[in-house]
Amino acid sequence: MAICGAGIAGLALAERMSTLGAEVVLLERSSGHRAQGYMIDFFGAGYEAAEAIGVLPAIHDVAYHIAEASLVDQHGHRRARLPYGQIAKALDGRLCSVMRPDLEKVLRDNLPRNVDLRFGASVCQVSHRNDGVTVRLDDGEELDADLLVGADGIHSTVRALVFGAEPRYLRYLGFHTAAFVFDAPGIREATGAKVLLTDTIDRQMGFYLLRDGRVAVFAVHRTPDPQLPDDARAAIRTTYAGMGWLVAEALERCPRSEDIYYDQVAQVEMPRWRQGRVVLIGDACSAVSLLAGQGASLAMAGAYVLAEQLRRTSSVDRALDFYERLWRPVAEEKQKSGRDAAHWFLPASSSQLWIRRAALRLAWLPVVNRYLSAALVGEPTAVIAMLRRGSEDSSDS
């Protein structure tokens, strides 16, 4: 098996398939481990998959305890609290906050020794065979594989080579996002164990403290243009200027463009996730966007579902069909939840801002809390639990 992309989906699938006895080559176009990324709330199906795989304790070891999440105005005065604790309670505590690079490291450290992980390896051509594929790398090497899995993210090379150009499948949602880290003692003291977000219209910046003492920044803003800027640092400084509070110092300390994560906020919608012996997982076929907040969780869970279908089914083709039939409805529901939650995530007007503040102040009421939890979390899925029960039953028999 060849897997393109050593992110969360690719790493999780490589571990599962190697553990199940497959010969796995994991190709990553980056020259090394990626340090850019932002804090994610890890819960739901991915949390269950991590538990099944056995990496949940290691994830908890690198997770952050969020004591408070608040929305503050340009003077740093709190305008509303986010019901973080109530959402965690609604999830029975099965939620943790973790930096994306830390989650990837946990998964890399969990890889079996016989996984052939290659950095700086880019796929440039895919040729179909009756019983598999031939993958050509940009250095001229060719790999024959029974199956090629595109786990290479929202801007997937495998998808472009096999299914067609990116614009056919990308649904731009009207936002750009960025993340970076820097050292600033003043901001460090202000954040502590809290997540602080600007309570603003059309653009937002958030701050949280990392365990190494640096400050992590997450930013998002509305723009009708999906085109990414040539200079991410300059674009951030221009877009978020004049917001007051801690933002000015963050912009002053903003690092070089190559040290910034910057991308458009979009979803991927495809009529089919497979063609022959090529299949897509994670953001490559079903990116939900940061508005849904579950991309990492769905990536790990989708990898688990695919591995289980390949384990249970003698025919690779049938396994791929079963995987898509099981997982597509889950991904599409999360995509819809993300689109529906856009006005909660970043209000577009003063009235929407006021409504969000009012709703958050009433979050202690059960009916409001249930509504907010549903809007932010979406509907639960029983797919992973069903597959885990099936695995336990088969091992007992």
Side-chain angles (χ1 to χ4, degrees):
M1 171 186 286
I3 303 172
C4 183
I8 292 168
L11 289 165
L13 182 64
E15 186 280 333
R16 282 290 80 200
M17 295 308 302
S18 180
T19 299
L20 295 172
E23 182 180 345
V24 178
V25 179
L26 181 56
L27 307 168
E28 171 54 49
R29 63 188 169 202
S30 299
S31 59
H33 308 152
R34 288 166 294 190
Q36 297 94 342
Y38 46 84
M39 185 86 76
I40 55 177
D41 289 327
F42 189 70
F43 61 94
Y47 193 101
E48 295 179 52
E51 190 173 45
I53 293 169
V55 295
L56 191 56
I59 294 174
H60 277 286
D61 285 344
V62 299
Y64 288 82
H65 172 68
I66 305 299
E68 180 181 312
S70 299
L71 292 161
V72 300
D73 63 19
Q74 61 181 347
H75 304 294
H77 301 143
R78 186 172 63 202
R79 304 304 300 267
R81 289 182 180 178
L82 297 172
Y84 196 87
Q86 290 166 269
I87 293 174
K89 185 177 180 180
L91 294 168
D92 295 324
R94 296 172 66 80
L95 174 150
C96 58
S97 299
V98 60
M99 291 293 289
R100 190 181 187 92
D102 291 341
L103 179 56
E104 290 185 358
K105 184 178 186 303
V106 166
L107 296 176
R108 275 198 312 273
D109 291 346
N110 193 53
L111 284 178
R113 290 179 178 270
N114 56 350
V115 172
D116 183 5
L117 173 56
R118 304 184 188 182
F119 287 103
S122 296
V123 176
C124 63
Q125 184 177 335
V126 178
S127 302
H128 295 274
R129 308 192 318 268
N130 289 335
D131 59 348
V133 293
T134 298
V135 180
R136 185 178 179 85
L137 306 183
D138 58 0
D139 63 0
E141 182 181 359
E142 291 189 346
L143 303 174
D144 290 328
D146 297 328
L147 178 64
L148 170 63
V149 181
D152 47 345
I154 192 169
H155 305 297
S156 169
T157 297
V158 172
R159 186 184 65 227
L161 290 172
V162 177
F163 297 86
E166 180 173 289
R168 295 172 58 182
Y169 308 112
L170 211 62
R171 180 174 183 170
Y172 178 59
L173 299 181
F175 303 86
H176 284 191
T177 184
F180 57 91
V181 297
F182 60 91
D183 187 47
I187 296 180
R188 192 162 61 227
E189 293 171 6
T191 54
K194 302 185 291 290
V195 171
L196 299 174
L197 301 165
T198 61
D199 188 38
T200 41
I201 298 167
D202 285 340
R203 54 183 182 166
Q204 183 179 74
M205 189 171 283
F207 301 85
Y208 39 90
L209 181 65
L210 302 181
R211 59 176 53 89
D212 64 4
R214 293 183 300 165
V215 176
V217 168
F218 164 80
V220 62
H221 67 274
R222 292 181 187 273
T223 174
D225 185 3
Q227 184 67 37
L228 300 181
D230 294 329
D231 187 337
R233 183 172 186 259
I236 291 169
R237 285 182 154 189
T238 300
T239 301
Y240 296 91
M243 291 181 65
W245 188 50
L246 305 176
V247 176
E249 185 172 358
L251 296 180
E252 177 65 29
R253 296 175 181 268
C254 185
R256 302 171 303 169
S257 292
E258 53 265 37
D259 295 324
I260 297 171
Y261 167 83
Y262 193 108
D263 205 351
Q264 61 182 237
V265 177
Q267 294 181 339
V268 173
E269 299 173 329
M270 302 185 67
R272 290 293 304 276
W273 292 355
R274 64 162 294 209
Q275 184 171 314
R277 290 295 182 87
V278 179
V279 66
L280 304 176
I281 62 172
D283 283 355
C285 62
S286 57
V288 296
S289 83
L290 60 87
L291 302 182
Q294 299 185 56
S297 175
L298 293 173
M300 189 176 298
Y304 181 85
V305 172
L306 176 57
E308 281 296 298
Q309 297 314 303
L310 290 167
R311 179 182 72 84
R312 295 161 181 250
T313 310
S314 56
S315 164
V316 173
D317 294 315
R318 286 170 55 205
L320 300 182
D321 287 339
F322 290 159
Y323 148 71
E324 183 170 347
R325 198 176 305 164
L326 272 175
W327 200 238
R328 176 183 283 275
V330 177
E332 290 181 345
E333 186 275 326
K334 301 306 179 189
Q335 288 180 323
K336 183 179 183 303
S337 294
R339 295 191 299 270
D340 291 345
H343 65 286
W344 285 103
F345 189 83
L346 186 60
S349 64
S350 297
S351 59
Q352 286 187 4
L353 189 69
W354 183 89
I355 291 170
R356 184 176 70 173
R357 287 174 186 165
L360 291 172
R361 288 169 185 150
L362 295 174
W364 59 274
L365 293 172
V367 64
V368 178
N369 185 46
R370 284 195 297 271
Y371 174 78
L372 289 176
S373 297
L376 296 172
V377 173
E379 294 297 324
T381 176
V383 171
I384 304 299
M386 176 189 70
L387 293 177
R388 291 184 68 182
R389 284 195 299 270
S391 297
E392 293 167 359
D393 291 344
S394 62
S395 63
D396 291 340
S397 59

